[in-house]
Amino acid sequence: MKKLLVFFLFISISISAQEVDLSYYLPNNVTYNKNVPTPKDIMGHEVGEWHVTHDKLVEYMKALAASSDRISIENRGTTYEGRPLLLLTITSPENHKNIESIRQKHIDATDDPSVDISKNPIVVYQGFSIHGNEPSGSNAALAVAYYLAAAENIDALLNNTVILFDPSLNPDGLQRFAYWANTNKSKNINPDPNDREYSEVWPGGRTNHYQFDMNRDWLPVQLPESKVRIASFHKWLPNILTDHHEMGSNSSFFFQPGIPSRTNPLTPQMNQDLTKEIATYHAKALDKIGSLYYSEESFDDFYYGKGSTFPDINGGIGILFEQASSRGHAQETENGILTFPFTIRNQFTAALSTLEAAKNMRVKILQYQQDFYKESRNTGEKKAIVFGDEKDAAKSFMLAEVLKRHQIKIHEVKADFTENGKTFKKGYSYVVPMNQKNQRLVKAMFDVQKTFTDSLFYDVSAWTFNHAFGVDYAENISLSKAGNEITDLKMKQGLVSFKSDYGYLMPWNEYYTPKALSAILQKELRAKVSMKNFKNGGNSYEYGTIFIPVQNQKLDSAEMFEFLNQVAKESNVLITGVTTGLNDGIDLGSENFSAITKPKVAMLVGDGITSYDSGEIWHLFDQRFDMHITRLDMSYFTRTDISKYTHIVIPSSTIDIAAIEKLKTWVQNGGILVGYKNTAKWLASNKMINLDFEDSKIDTIKNVSFENRSLQSGAQYIGGAIFEAKIDRSHPISFGYKNEKIALFRNSTMFIKADKKSYNNPIQYTSNPLLSGYISKENSKLIKNTVPFKVQRLGRGSVIVFTDNTNFRAFWFGTNKLLMNTIFFGDMM
């Protein structure tokens, strides 16, 4: 009967999802506890009949926990949209009675190699649909959770396994996509791929509220969903973590291992060997139901910020599942009609085959984890690394905070010291000893790689954290430099030094100074920025220092002091009162202090705009700096009055030419236009900025076989690497940076030639710029001495372009200020 049903699910275009019941997913010859509700009992429809909304998913998981002594449930926090981030713990009732003891013994085994692991349960973390529009995972979670709660005669599994069950890794995205699929579903399901059901509107359900791909945030841990997930991970240190995804509709089903040559060299070989052994269980289970699949031909295990790879540097085994997506309820594909229930069934099958492998390989996998941490401790490393920024405590703190989230031990600096010409100041710097449990994870976070066995990457090839956060860094430091271990990490508190009747100075170096300046300007207070260095009261102040005079303001001196004190505390910045305008260098009344205009910023979004980039900018303004940014959708942009905006930001885009004349007039009237990545070429082709590009030449590669023809162009793609540029610190784009060089992330092959006038190249790549990551030999020649930034006047306004994203994935703190400098100082460039 089931085989007949499968046939109709694939072949019949007239099938309706109502014909599928729960038995389609479940194994044969299993009886179920009738006191445990089925998904239909709670939701009112069968699994796969409709796309489950997150509220219904939550309702069902709570019902299971209430009806089964195998399940406990916790709400670990909420998403940006206020949805609960649930975690179910599923194991035998007897294990539940001793769950904390089991957890502690499991952790003890990673701390002490003498602990006997032979009788310990194995810990498996099962996570579903971190990409919200890859919904078969979370919908399969309904059936998997029911099976684990209600199936009889699975005592051997439950007694020997603790399952950490995350039914929706991305509640906001899942809800957004379910709404789209369900509101576009027809009674007579239409599998035509051109139907509206299969083309969701911008920005789609893949991402979370701020349009982040959360499957890139396991290592940086910047989003609320990631923070609770990583806390759960380190609390338990699971042995296996599964990550259920979807891919193109014409594919089949993928499970790891990925392409062997694309495994990070820091990952032990035994990890890959065990992954391959686990894969035999997936193959056997999928063979049984007749599903097509493949392994080792796609994807990789390189970037540790993905769910399937993060466990690999933490003593566990990460496993990626990729199911061909129906993208709705049924869709025509090369393999026939692919229905939503069939995609769910494959995910369900892989979830159970994972648990079968975990049960049978339990001791072997537990031993691997114990050995992983034993070897990590026995490397004999008696040194430390140190990072910090002597003028930016907040940025240094935020990197330290990431380390603490990963349970990495950090220490304060015992006393100020200098290493390799960099000063590491107490309160602004942190020491990380390498003789600790998680030293492999520390290495992964600060890793530098420039040579690779493969030239293709599924994701970035570099993420080196000291470069990403823009902090000074040194390694092989003596442990004697370390002060007390920091157990309670706190950000340095902001303050105003004293009440002044003359004025206040705020250096631009601290990360949150844009937040402070925005609050000051929103209060209708006047502020100026220093275009030169100077000294006041024995203190040195650099380019970009903000001056807030006391006289002739809307607040009197007492009110201003109270207000600025509040701003300083909320922004964690130091604001210094001054008693005189007479400086060593330019005086406070000098014309070299330029007045700052209160910005009103808009950003183009919608069709043609890269949603990732726009989401990162939105998040930067809204979450980091408490600044308004108006998002203008392309669907109505040409009908919008944009004269009130001082700045318009265009993320990477391929927008329609209809907007060009409107934008050109607006810039000529004084607007500041900021364009990223592809937008730079669009602006250049439409004569809004003059750019001279270097073109990548892939035809320099000879003797390429037919089989490898796609690799020729693929090898020229910069998937994500880090490059060094020199900066002109006197230029407004560089205000707030204390070093003469900066680390820049890039994932484009857009190379802009430098201007003949050096002062028009305030940011310029060095002659040997690669800091970390992959770049082809051809592109490494082209990038030398090119520029990633350009600004040109157009009428009374300016056009500013960046070749790459300065706000990448919310953890490139080191270059966030470049965008802020265009906002506050763009009219001075």
Side-chain angles (χ1 to χ4, degrees):
M1 180 63 185
K2 283 189 177 179
K3 289 183 178 178
L4 183 61
L5 187 54
V6 173
F7 174 81
F8 278 109
L9 282 166
F10 258 94
I11 302 301
S12 175
I13 64 172
S14 63
I15 188 169
S16 69
Q18 285 85 345
E19 295 178 45
V20 179
D21 62 30
L22 194 57
S23 65
Y24 171 64
Y25 308 105
L26 302 175
N28 292 321
N29 305 318
V30 177
T31 56
Y32 295 88
N33 183 342
K34 293 183 179 179
N35 294 321
V36 176
T38 67
K40 186 176 181 180
D41 292 336
I42 303 301
M43 301 188 306
H45 64 80
E46 292 286 3
V47 174
E49 181 181 348
W50 295 90
H51 283 252
V52 69
T53 54
H54 188 259
D55 55 326
K56 286 187 175 182
L57 184 68
V58 168
E59 186 181 7
Y60 183 62
M61 295 303 157
K62 288 181 176 179
L64 283 183
S67 64
S68 173
D69 57 3
R70 298 173 179 178
I71 298 177
S72 64
I73 192 169
E74 60 177 310
N75 179 8
R76 300 166 295 172
T78 59
T79 67
Y80 283 119
E81 295 178 11
R83 293 190 173 85
L85 294 161
L86 299 184
L87 184 72
L88 283 65
T89 302
I90 306 176
T91 189
S92 68
E94 189 62 31
N95 283 347
H96 267 297
K97 295 176 184 177
N98 305 292
I99 195 69
E100 179 54 26
S101 175
I102 289 171
R103 186 194 71 81
Q104 191 57 58
K105 191 173 181 182
H106 180 77
I107 297 299
D108 288 346
T110 66
D111 292 326
D112 183 355
S114 68
V115 171
D116 179 15
I117 49 87
S118 62
K119 293 186 173 63
N120 285 5
I122 191 170
V123 181
V124 180
Y125 193 119
Q126 295 190 293
F128 300 90
S129 298
I130 200 166
H131 296 143
N133 63 357
E134 299 177 4
S136 58
S138 284
N139 283 267
L142 296 164
V144 176
Y146 171 76
Y147 172 84
L148 293 172
E152 297 178 348
N153 300 317
I154 61 169
D155 294 346
L157 170 65
L158 295 174
N159 288 335
N160 290 285
T161 313
V162 173
I163 303 162
L164 306 176
F165 196 84
D166 199 332
S168 175
L169 294 165
N170 181 2
D172 295 347
L174 182 73
Q175 186 79 10
R176 193 158 65 243
F177 181 73
Y179 160 80
W180 177 261
N182 291 336
T183 56
N184 285 283
K185 178 188 175 184
S186 301
K187 183 187 75 169
N188 298 298
I189 295 173
N190 183 358
D192 185 344
N194 293 324
D195 190 82
R196 189 170 190 260
E197 180 179 352
Y198 311 111
S199 299
E200 55 181 320
V201 294
W202 190 97
R206 177 181 176 89
T207 53
N208 76 341
H209 175 75
Y210 283 101
Q211 300 158 208
F212 283 95
D213 183 338
M214 293 193 303
N215 197 38
R216 304 299 185 266
D217 195 43
W218 291 73
L219 202 60
V221 204
Q222 295 300 311
L223 307 171
E225 301 92 338
S226 307
K227 291 174 184 177
V228 301
R229 184 173 68 248
I230 293 304
S232 298
F233 183 96
H234 287 298
K235 179 180 178 180
W236 273 98
L237 289 180
N239 301 98
I240 300 173
L241 185 146
T242 57
D243 193 16
H244 291 255
H245 287 255
E246 290 183 359
M247 55 183 168
S249 300
N250 289 320
S251 302
S252 58
F253 189 87
F254 170 85
F255 50 81
Q256 284 180 311
I259 296 175
S261 63
R262 299 178 195 170
T263 300
N264 195 299
L266 295 175
T267 300
Q269 180 58 44
M270 180 57 73
N271 171 285
Q272 294 296 288
D273 295 342
L274 291 170
T275 303
K276 198 164 187 176
E277 185 175 347
I278 293 170
T280 64
Y281 288 83
H282 308 320
K284 182 179 178 181
L286 292 167
D287 285 342
K288 189 173 180 180
I289 64 172
S291 287
L292 300 176
Y293 58 84
Y294 68 100
S295 184
E296 296 189 280
E297 298 176 39
S298 188
F299 302 100
D300 64 33
D301 279 313
F302 192 81
Y303 172 49
Y304 287 123
K306 298 184 298 180
S308 59
T309 313
F310 177 75
D312 299 345
I313 199 63
N314 287 281
I317 300 165
I319 298 176
L320 170 68
F321 296 122
E322 291 274 357
Q323 165 62 47
S325 180
S326 64
R327 283 288 181 259
H329 291 86
Q331 190 172 163
E332 297 168 359
T333 75
E334 293 176 359
N335 297 311
I337 302 297
L338 178 63
T339 69
F340 186 40
F342 182 82
T343 68
I344 295 170
R345 190 186 192 212
N346 278 346
Q347 299 277 26
F348 174 91
T349 301
L352 262 57
S353 63
T354 300
L355 296 176
E356 180 71 10
K359 176 172 69 74
N360 294 344
M361 297 171 63
R362 178 180 62 85
V363 176
K364 184 188 296 187
I365 294 173
L366 286 169
Q367 188 63 60
Y368 163 72
Q369 184 183 57
Q370 191 174 45
D371 291 343
F372 177 94
Y373 285 108
K374 176 184 176 182
E375 292 167 9
S376 181
R377 283 194 178 86
N378 291 343
T379 57
E381 295 198 37
K382 303 298 182 184
K383 296 288 188 177
I385 65 170
V386 62
F387 65 85
D389 186 321
E390 62 176 311
K391 295 185 178 181
D392 191 347
K395 194 169 57 177
S396 305
F397 165 87
M398 287 182 286
L399 177 49
E401 191 176 43
V402 173
L403 297 179
K404 291 293 286 184
R405 288 183 188 135
H406 287 299
Q407 296 191 4
I408 294 167
K409 294 180 180 179
I410 60 175
H411 293 245
E412 63 182 7
V413 171
K414 185 182 292 185
D416 299 357
F417 70 95
T418 300
E419 187 76 23
N420 299 329
K422 305 297 182 185
T423 299
F424 296 97
K425 188 177 176 181
K426 187 173 182 179
Y428 292 74
S429 303
Y430 302 89
V431 176
V432 185
M434 295 303 289
N435 59 344
Q436 61 172 297
K437 176 179 180 177
N438 285 328
Q439 63 95 2
R440 281 180 167 175
L441 181 56
V442 176
K443 283 186 175 180
M445 296 172 79
F446 293 91
D447 186 39
V448 172
Q449 291 191 47
K450 297 183 182 181
T451 58
F452 301 86
T453 57
D454 203 318
S455 59
L456 298 183
F457 300 88
Y458 185 71
D459 199 74
V460 296
S461 63
W463 53 88
T464 315
F465 272 47
N466 53 294
H467 294 321
F469 282 75
V471 294
D472 295 330
Y473 171 83
E475 53 192 22
N476 295 320
I477 299 297
S478 170
L479 289 173
S480 64
K481 302 288 187 183
N484 296 327
E485 182 182 350
I486 299 173
T487 55
D488 185 17
L489 184 64
K490 293 182 179 179
M491 190 181 293
K492 201 172 188 67
Q493 189 172 4
L495 57 87
V496 177
S497 62
F498 63 85
K499 177 181 174 295
S500 172
D501 292 323
Y502 191 88
Y504 297 90
L505 293 172
M506 181 176 68
W508 193 243
N509 304 90
E510 280 284 353
Y511 182 80
Y512 283 113
T513 45
K515 178 180 178 180
L517 179 57
S518 176
I520 290 166
L521 296 176
Q522 290 300 320
K523 196 70 173 178
E524 302 294 339
L525 295 176
R526 291 181 295 103
K528 294 187 173 186
V529 60
S530 168
M531 306 300 288
K532 292 189 175 183
N533 296 336
F534 64 94
K535 290 183 179 180
N536 181 288
N539 297 318
S540 296
Y541 294 92
E542 297 182 339
Y543 307 105
T545 297
I546 307 300
F547 172 50
I548 308 105
V550 171
Q551 300 303 315
N552 198 26
Q553 296 273 24
K554 290 190 175 182
L555 301 179
D556 62 31
S557 62
E559 291 171 330
M560 180 175 286
F561 173 70
E562 183 180 352
F563 172 71
L564 291 180
N565 209 37
Q566 177 187 345
V567 168
K569 288 178 179 178
E570 292 177 352
S571 303
N572 301 93
V573 299
L574 173 64
I575 299 176
T576 303
V578 296
T579 58
T580 178
L582 186 63
N583 292 335
D584 181 0
I586 60 170
D587 296 323
L588 296 184
S590 167
E591 292 184 357
N592 283 296
F593 277 89
S594 296
I596 303 170
T597 303
K598 181 175 72 172
K600 188 170 182 60
V601 186
M603 175 173 63
L604 301 192
V605 299
D607 288 345
I609 306 292
T610 302
S611 62
Y612 291 162
D613 293 357
S614 68
E616 288 156 0
I617 294 169
W618 178 25
H619 177 270
L620 183 71
F621 275 76
D622 196 35
Q623 288 289 328
R624 294 270 168 79
F625 297 134
D626 288 339
M627 293 169 61
H628 289 153
I629 183 167
T630 300
R631 291 168 296 145
L632 303 175
D633 197 279
M634 291 304 300
S635 63
Y636 58 76
F637 173 71
T638 55
R639 304 191 303 274
T640 302
D641 178 9
I642 59 174
S643 61
K644 62 182 175 180
Y645 301 109
T646 60
H647 296 69
I648 293 179
V649 181
I650 309 180
S652 184
S653 62
T654 53
I655 57 180
D656 191 89
I657 198 167
I660 195 67
E661 289 304 319
K662 185 184 187 79
L663 286 169
K664 187 177 290 185
T665 300
W666 173 81
V667 173
Q668 289 171 335
N669 289 334
I672 308 295
L673 183 63
V674 183
Y676 279 96
K677 298 177 70 174
N678 290 338
T679 302
K681 286 197 171 182
W682 180 79
L683 292 170
S685 65
N686 285 284
K687 311 300 182 186
M688 287 189 68
I689 187 170
N690 295 318
L691 301 176
D692 191 3
F693 296 99
E694 293 273 15
D695 293 324
S696 181
K697 300 178 178 63
I698 65 170
D699 57 1
T700 58
I701 306 171
K702 306 298 182 183
N703 302 317
V704 178
S705 68
F706 181 82
E707 177 185 10
N708 293 325
R709 63 196 185 283
S710 64
L711 303 183
Q712 181 182 30
S713 58
Q716 303 306 308
Y717 177 67
I718 301 176
I722 305 170
F723 299 88
E724 178 185 70
K726 56 186 179 181
I727 62 174
D728 176 356
R729 294 176 58 230
S730 71
H731 193 284
I733 193 62
S734 304
F735 284 177
Y737 290 95
K738 69 178 182 63
N739 296 331
E740 302 296 330
K741 292 180 180 178
I742 189 172
L744 299 170
F745 172 86
R746 71 174 298 150
N747 58 358
S748 79
T749 52
M750 183 187 305
F751 307 117
I752 300 175
K753 294 180 181 180
D755 194 272
K756 293 179 180 178
K757 298 175 181 177
S758 61
Y759 54 80
N760 286 334
N761 305 314
I763 308 176
Q764 184 173 13
Y765 289 117
T766 61
S767 57
N768 187 25
L770 181 63
L771 292 172
S772 185
Y774 171 80
I775 185 171
S776 69
K777 292 180 180 178
E778 292 75 20
N779 285 334
S780 66
K781 295 175 184 176
L782 291 176
I783 194 173
K784 294 179 179 181
N785 302 313
T786 61
V787 294
F789 163 86
K790 272 284 188 181
V791 56
Q792 287 177 13
R793 302 294 297 182
L794 181 62
R796 291 189 287 114
S798 296
V799 177
I800 298 170
V801 297
F802 293 94
T803 61
D804 288 271
N805 186 356
T806 59
N807 315 292
F808 187 63
R809 290 181 181 167
F811 82 104
W812 267 85
F813 287 86
T815 51
N816 286 161
K817 193 161 284 182
L818 295 176
L819 175 56
M820 290 297 107
N821 286 349
T822 71
I823 300 302
F824 292 107
F825 317 131
D827 56 352
M828 306 168 199
M829 295 180 184

